[in-house]
Amino acid sequence: MGKALIIDDEPQMRRLLRMVLESRGYEVCEADEGLRGLQEAAFHRPDVVLLDLGLPGMGGIETLARLREWSDVPVLVLSVRDQETVKVQALETGADDYVTKPFGSAELLARLEVIQRRRGPRHTPEITAGALKLDLLRHEADLDGEPLRLTPTEFSILSILTEHAGRIVTQNQIVKHVWPVQQSDPAEGLRVHISHLRRKLGDRGVRVVNEPGIGYRLEIRQASAP
Amino acid sequence: MGKALIIDDEPQMRRLLRMVLESRGYEVCEADEGLRGLQEAAFHRPDVVLLDLGLPGMGGIETLARLREWSDVPVLVLSVRDQETVKVQALETGADDYVTKPFGSAELLARLEVIQRRRGPRHTPEITAGALKLDLLRHEADLDGEPLRLTPTEFSILSILTEHAGRIVTQNQIVKHVWPVQQSDPAEGLRVHISHLRRKLGDRGVRVVNEPGIGYRLEIRQASAP
DNA sequence: CCCTGGCGTTAAGAATGTGTGAAGAACGAG
DNA sequence: CTCGTTCTTCACACATTCTTAACGCCAGGG
């Protein structure tokens, strides 16, 4: 079915949700706090997130906002609050649905499927640009049919560049995508990885171009016409 | 904003929905019955559909199913019924959301935007003036379809000019926009950037005009009669 | 007429951003 | 523990962009 991430501080609510989700075939991971939720999301790359609004520490809305900085995973917000202003705020911050507790398990599962069904073109497990092919699930990259040996960081950078192939991607976007949480001076190290990436890409139809002061762009050279 | 199609048999509910939608800038069309709703959808190609489940004749669920045979348009289902089985059925048939009457207008509008933002190519904030197109997120500028190579400062200046295209922008406004913090004699350097900008823009439909003693104005020439 | 203030252009140094190599730290596997 | 891989940090060369300054142009007023 896919991976689901539960972010909720109440243990019994997590247990209930886990039961419902696993009965439907989901693989489930949990977090009891916002920041940990972000880390789990970055590490496990879930297919869908269930987020409780009443979180201690970093609140649910802020967690959602920080998640949305680098991820567009479908998020279903759970809450005991039925106030319209809260709902609107959550939906505008990037939530895909808002369900009020208590809820029916069948409706919850149905809504989970809806928000996954509507995912953008990015849900494709692989993306292509010119002679470059990336398998996002397996973390494998092919150029001209030959496999590329990339480190996880390099793959992450190349994936966001490829997703927006031909267009500029801001340094900020790249950094947020690769290092979702914390960082001292990330652009510093980014240059090194870009350098390594260029060496591995060589000169075979695609190359990483710098747009000074802004970011990078993956340029694809058409080798021939079909 | 976009076109919305209302399919509901109660005239006063249609009137209420129309008011809410038009206040948000939607263009609205209506149908009082399922089959007519399908015809309207085929003809007007709405960006979003509001479907009442309690329809006479062909029911709401059946209307939804027939619509889904050929259309992918986002559908928000409205209903007085709060039964879980009905909700699940609607969602599994292809609805993107299910709202129970009575509903809050702000929540309805928020949910409408959610089910629309998940489609199609990523929407990035961009502004346009004549043949000029600026992508504010990526810092990309297109003129006549050809990309412009602008430095960050040039892009910043051009963006505030384009935002107020055709109207005068004070030197002060430009300076505050480009250099948000202090400056000795900013207008001094501004002239240099304006000069560079003009050279890059060339003579292709837009140009930067000086209003002596006041500021600058982006003039767009309609490429009508060559 | 000449002077003055605002503007446009060009050129050069200063400031900032970027590419690359290498060394050490962190991490996981055996 | 040791090894190999990957990540981070640093140093320095190089590139781009920004700022400053100088000079010519034009219009309006004395």
Side-chain angles (χ1 to χ4, degrees):
Chain A
M1 194 68 216
K3 276 186 287 187
L5 169 62
I6 303 170
I7 309 178
D8 197 318
D9 60 312
E10 300 166 47
Q12 51 190 15
M13 177 57 73
R14 288 206 304 273
R15 233 190 65 228
L16 169 62
L17 288 171
R18 174 183 281 275
M19 269 179 46
V20 170
L21 292 172
E22 286 182 341
S23 76
R24 186 59 150 252
Y26 282 94
E27 188 181 328
V28 178
C29 53
E30 304 178 3
D32 61 357
E33 196 257 332
L35 204 58
R36 225 180 314 276
L38 291 178
Q39 290 167 352
E40 291 287 316
F43 183 65
H44 287 103
R45 304 277 164 171
D47 299 296
V48 65
V49 173
L50 290 86
L51 174 65
D52 179 38
L53 271 200
L55 287 176
M58 188 167 64
I61 291 287
E62 194 188 338
T63 302
L64 178 59
R66 305 255 317 251
L67 178 68
R68 276 287 174 263
E69 288 174 1
W70 55 270
S71 171
D72 62 353
V73 59
V75 172
L76 185 145
V77 165
L78 288 163
S79 173
V80 291
R81 311 184 64 178
D82 199 18
Q83 283 177 283
E84 190 175 11
T85 55
V86 178
K87 291 187 189 180
V88 171
Q89 188 187 15
L91 294 170
E92 286 182 346
T93 306
D96 293 279
D97 204 344
Y98 187 108
V99 173
T100 308
K101 303 177 190 177
F103 50 82
S105 59
E107 180 185 349
L108 184 75
L109 288 171
R111 286 186 181 271
L112 279 182
E113 294 198 12
V114 167
I115 67 178
Q116 289 180 79
R117 175 211 294 164
R118 271 298 181 189
R119 296 220 26 158
R122 172 154 176 206
H123 193 236
T124 51
E126 63 178 39
I127 48 183
T128 308
L132 187 64
K133 198 161 49 174
L134 298 190
D135 187 325
L136 296 178
L137 293 180
R138 301 191 165 283
H139 275 225
E140 283 174 353
D142 273 30
L143 181 54
D144 256 340
E146 287 178 36
L148 281 175
R149 236 183 91 73
L150 301 180
T151 71
T153 304
E154 287 159 9
F155 185 89
S156 181
I157 295 173
L158 186 57
S159 72
I160 191 177
L161 286 177
T162 306
E163 191 183 343
H164 306 99
R167 314 199 61 184
I168 299 176
V169 185
T170 304
Q171 297 201 15
N172 232 314
Q173 291 177 289
I174 302 177
V175 168
K176 291 255 175 63
H177 179 256
V178 179
W179 298 279
V181 286
Q182 61 86 38
Q183 207 64 16
S184 48
D185 186 2
E188 182 72 20
L190 175 59
R191 297 205 307 265
V192 179
H193 287 108
I194 292 281
S195 175
H196 294 162
L197 203 45
R198 283 204 253 242
R199 182 178 305 167
K200 291 182 181 178
L201 286 176
D203 189 9
R204 291 182 285 171
V206 297
R207 60 180 181 140
V208 179
V209 183
N210 171 247
E211 302 286 342
I214 311 204
Y216 294 87
R217 185 168 53 84
L218 189 74
E219 187 182 85
I220 53 184
R221 255 196 342 274
Q222 303 293 23
S224 56
Chain B
M1 195 72 216
K3 276 185 287 188
L5 170 61
I6 302 169
I7 310 178
D8 197 319
D9 60 310
E10 301 166 48
Q12 52 190 18
M13 177 57 72
R14 288 205 303 273
R15 231 189 67 229
L16 169 63
L17 288 172
R18 173 183 282 274
M19 267 179 47
V20 170
L21 291 173
E22 287 183 340
S23 75
R24 185 60 151 251
Y26 282 95
E27 189 181 327
V28 178
C29 54
E30 305 177 3
D32 60 358
E33 194 258 330
L35 205 57
R36 222 178 319 273
L38 291 177
Q39 291 166 352
E40 291 287 316
F43 184 64
H44 286 103
R45 301 280 164 170
D47 298 295
V48 64
V49 173
L50 289 86
L51 174 64
D52 180 40
L53 272 199
L55 288 176
M58 187 168 63
I61 290 288
E62 194 187 339
T63 303
L64 178 57
R66 305 251 319 247
L67 178 68
R68 277 286 174 261
E69 289 173 3
W70 55 271
S71 171
D72 228 23
V73 59
V75 172
L76 185 144
V77 164
L78 289 163
S79 173
V80 292
R81 310 183 65 179
D82 199 16
Q83 283 178 281
E84 190 173 11
T85 54
V86 178
K87 292 187 189 180
V88 171
Q89 188 187 17
L91 294 170
E92 286 182 346
T93 307
D96 294 278
D97 205 344
Y98 187 107
V99 174
T100 307
K101 302 179 192 176
F103 49 82
S105 59
E107 180 184 350
L108 183 76
L109 289 171
R111 287 186 179 272
L112 279 180
E113 295 200 10
V114 167
I115 66 178
Q116 287 180 82
R117 80 177 161 216
R118 274 294 184 194
R119 350 183 9 86
R122 184 141 300 151
H123 175 265
T124 68
E126 60 179 38
I127 49 183
T128 308
L132 187 64
K133 198 162 50 175
L134 298 190
D135 187 322
L136 298 180
L137 184 60
R138 298 179 207 280
H139 278 235
E140 276 180 335
D142 272 31
L143 182 54
D144 257 339
E146 285 178 36
L148 283 175
R149 232 184 99 72
L150 302 181
T151 71
T153 304
E154 288 159 9
F155 184 89
S156 183
I157 295 173
L158 186 57
S159 73
I160 191 176
L161 287 177
T162 307
E163 194 178 342
H164 307 97
R167 317 190 63 176
I168 301 179
V169 184
T170 306
Q171 296 202 12
N172 233 314
Q173 290 178 287
I174 301 178
V175 169
K176 289 251 177 64
H177 180 255
V178 180
W179 299 279
V181 286
Q182 59 92 31
Q183 207 68 12
S184 50
D185 188 1
E188 183 71 21
L190 176 58
R191 296 206 306 269
V192 178
H193 292 293
I194 292 281
S195 173
H196 294 161
L197 203 45
R198 283 203 255 242
R199 181 180 304 170
K200 291 183 180 177
L201 286 177
D203 188 9
R204 291 182 286 171
V206 297
R207 58 179 181 143
V208 179
V209 183
N210 172 248
E211 302 286 343
I214 309 190
Y216 294 88
R217 183 169 54 85
L218 189 72
E219 186 182 87
I220 54 184
R221 243 191 359 266
Q222 300 297 18
S224 47

